[in-house]
Amino acid sequence: MKILVTGAAGFIGFYVSKKLLDHGHSVVGLDNINDYYDVGLKFGRLTELGIERNKAEIFNVISRSNSNPNFSFIRLSLEDRENLPLLFKEEGFEVVCNLAAQAGVRYSLENPEAYVDSNIVGFLNILENCRNFNIKHLVYASSSSVYGLNSKVPFETTDSVDNPISLYAASKKSNELMAHTYSHLYGFASTGLRFFTVYGPWGRPDMAMFLFTDAILKGQPIKVFNHGNLERDFTYIEDITEGVVRIIELPVNERKDPNTLYKIYNIGNNNSVKLMDFIKAIEETLSIEAKKEMLPMQAGDVTRTWANVDALIKDYNYQPNTPIKKGVEEFISWYKSYYSIEHGN
Ligand SMILES: NC(=O)c1ccc[n+]([C@@H]2O[C@H](COP(=O)([O-])OP(=O)(O)OC[C@H]3O[C@@H](n4cnc5c(N)ncnc54)[C@H](O)[C@@H]3O)[C@@H](O)[C@H]2O)c1
C-alpha cells in the first residue's frame, strides 16, 4: 500500500511509519518540524528512518531514505494549500494517516492560534485532498481530551462529547465532525482514533513521563498537579502503533461494517493509573525519590481518563498488553542512552 503519514517526525508518526515500512508498505512522511518542542528530537527520529538532518531541513523537497527505499520525507505544512495538492497528485496515495497536529492541552491556553492553523485549517486541507485525489481511507488522530468534563468511566465512544474544556479538545472534536461531513458527502472512509496519554521511547518532552524523568535526574522538583489526584489511561507506544497499523492495513471493504464509512474508536490501555503510582514507577526504576511540588489543578486539564476499547478489540483484535512498569523501564532506558550519546552526560 502507498501511505501518507503526516506528523512523521513526531512521536506517534515516527513509530507508525517505522511499522508500516517493516510490513513492506511504501510510506511518504510529511512534517513541518515546528519548534513546539526540541527539533533535535524530531530530526533524530527522521535520522532513524534514514533521512539526514541536512535533507530534512529543506522545505518542499522530497528526500529518499538512505536506509529504506520505501520511505521518503517532505518538510511541508498542512496549511500549505498550494503544495499539498501537488504532493497528492504526484504520489497517488491509497491511505492517509493524519497524525500531524498542534498537540498539548496546556499550550492551547497560550497559543490558541496554532490549534486553528494546524488542526482546523490543516485538517480541512487534508480532507479536501482526500476528496480530490480519491483517497480510500483517512485514518486520523483525535484525542481522549474530547471527553472533557465527562465523569462516567470508562469513556465510551457512544458518550456525548459536548463539553470540551480546552481549545485543543475542541479542535479534535471539530476534526471528528469535519471527517463525518466529508465521509458522508464524498464517500471515502474515515477512522478517528481517540488516543489516551501515549508514552514510551522517543516520547514528547512536554508530557509527564519525559518531564518527570528529566527533572528527577537533574535533582529538580516535579510539578504534581491537583495534588496528585489525577488518573490517566497511559498507553505504551508499541500498543498504539500496532492498533493504528492494523486499522490502516485492513481494506475498507473488509471491515466489520463496510457500509459505515465514518468510524471513531478509543485507543487506550483500558486501565486508569493513579498519577502517584505512575510517579512511583519512575522513582523505583531510577532508584531516586522525586522532590514533589504539589500544585492545584491546571486550567484545561481533566482529572481522570479511562478508555473502553472493546470496539477496537472486537473489530481489529487490538490487544494492548504492556504493563506500566515495563513501559516506564523502556522509556528510562531509552532516555538515558539517548541523552548520554547526544549530550555526553
Ligand atoms: N501523544 C499523546 O499522548 C496523544 C494523545 C492524544 C492525541 N494525540 C494526537 O496524536 C497525534 C500525534 O501526536 P504526537 O504525540 O506524536 O505529537 P508530536 O507533536 O510529537 O507530533 C506531531 C507532529 O506534527 C507536526 N506538525 C504539527 N503541526 C503541523 C502542520 N501544521 N503541518 C505539518 N506538520 C505539523 C509536528 O512538527 C510534530 O512533529 C496528534 O494529532 C496529537 O494531537 C496524541
Side-chain angles (χ1 to χ4, degrees), residues 208-275:
M209 176 81 255
F210 198 115
L211 290 169
F212 289 169
T213 303
D214 190 59
I216 295 170
L217 284 172
K218 289 177 179 156
Q220 294 164 354
I222 61 170
K223 291 187 167 137
V224 183
F225 291 105
N226 205 28
H227 303 281
N229 188 21
L230 294 173
E231 287 178 42
R232 288 289 179 272
D233 194 328
F234 289 99
T235 320
Y236 191 60
I237 185 65
E238 263 304 318
D239 293 329
I240 286 279
T241 312
E242 181 62 35
V244 176
V245 169
R246 279 181 195 204
I247 291 164
I248 291 174
E249 285 181 333
L250 189 70
V252 169
N253 58 3
E254 290 175 27
R255 302 206 293 186
K256 279 267 157 60
D257 189 4
N259 295 325
T260 308
L261 290 176
Y262 167 83
K263 295 207 174 185
I264 296 283
Y265 290 98
N266 284 337
I267 180 163
N269 195 41
N270 191 21
N271 178 20
S272 203
V273 174
K274 290 189 167 58
L275 181 64

Side-chain angles (χ1 to χ4, degrees), residues 50-52 55 62-73:
I51 306 285
E52 296 305 333
K55 285 187 180 171
I62 298 189
S63 318
R64 196 170 285 280
S65 163
N66 56 28
S67 59
N68 191 323
N70 287 335
F71 184 68
S72 37
F73 176 78

Side-chain angles (χ1 to χ4, degrees), residues 280-316:
K280 204 173 189 183
I282 301 174
E283 290 176 323
E284 281 173 8
T285 308
L286 290 172
S287 304
I288 306 174
E289 194 180 332
K291 294 175 192 155
K292 301 176 191 78
E293 190 183 349
M294 305 308 267
L295 294 165
M297 189 67 176
Q298 285 208 117
D301 256 359
V302 300
T303 49
R304 188 180 196 193
T305 67
W306 179 3
N308 177 323
V309 293
D310 289 352
L312 210 52
I313 294 171
K314 185 167 147 273
D315 292 357
Y316 290 93

Side-chain angles (χ1 to χ4, degrees), residues 11-12 31-32 37 42 78-79 101 118 168 172 198 204:
F11 176 35
I12 302 174
D31 203 298
N32 66 2
Y37 62 76
K42 297 185 181 184
L78 298 183
E79 299 93 305
S118 292
Y168 171 66
K172 291 295 183 181
V198 189
R204 271 180 25 214

